[in-house]
Amino acid sequence: MVIFGSLISLSGLLILLFRTASLGGLSPTVVGWVMIPLGLVFAVLGVLRNRRKRGQKGPGPVGNPIQRAKALPRLWKAWRSGKYPELPRSQVMMWAVALVYLVSPIDVVPELLPVIGVTDDAGVAVWLLSSLSIASGSFLRWEKDHRDPSRGIESP
């Protein structure tokens, strides 16, 4: 969220500095001055969210990005079989909606608008990748905690 907010603010600044033609019937000055504070709000919310998450007790996600990517098929299989109940159905639905949005030709902000047109897609992609990474890291933690070391297999 911090990166997404920063990109929105930077896009607004670039529009203010370099854009002279109207954007969807709006003045580039108006668009730029709206995008800069909007991006700053997202960035501040992201910083606050990160601080809150760090302050929470309990173990966090584990694994590096490669381990997390390799864990995604196991996560899907465990969730589908009902062995991993910690992943809410709503989260999976949000991933599906995000994926459909990314591949769909229908867009909230069309790509015809320079800079602004791709920021919505970039934001959805960043959210999807970070959400998948966090979920797979939490799944790796769950796998580690639910193994039976004496038998070398997972506990039921």
Side-chain angles (χ1 to χ4, degrees), residues 59-81:
V62 298
N64 63 40
I66 293 171
Q67 292 170 329
R68 289 180 181 196
K70 287 180 179 180
L72 284 173
R74 293 193 317 272
L75 165 68
W76 178 253
K77 187 176 178 182
W79 179 77
R80 292 288 295 159
S81 68

Side-chain angles (χ1 to χ4, degrees), residues 4 16 25 32 41 46 50 55 65 73 76 78 84 94 96 100 109 112 124 130:
F4 179 63
L16 278 177
V41 166
N50 290 343
W76 178 253
Y84 183 61
M94 289 296 295
V100 167
V109 181
L112 300 173
V124 171
S130 64

Side-chain angles (χ1 to χ4, degrees), residues 40-70:
L40 291 174
V41 166
F42 277 116
V44 168
L45 288 174
V47 168
L48 293 175
R49 185 175 126 201
N50 290 343
R51 283 187 182 171
R52 180 179 50 93
K53 283 187 175 186
R54 280 190 208 122
Q56 290 177 342
K57 303 292 183 213
V62 298
N64 63 40
I66 293 171
Q67 292 170 329
R68 289 180 181 196
K70 287 180 179 180

Side-chain angles (χ1 to χ4, degrees), residues 85-119:
E86 297 180 26
L87 181 63
R89 178 182 231 80
S90 61
Q91 184 71 37
V92 176
M93 293 305 294
M94 289 296 295
W95 292 341
V97 168
L99 194 58
V100 167
Y101 181 78
L102 288 173
V103 298
S104 171
I106 300 170
D107 217 350
V108 173
V109 181
E111 271 70 26
L112 300 173
L113 301 173
V115 182
I116 303 171
V118 295
T119 55

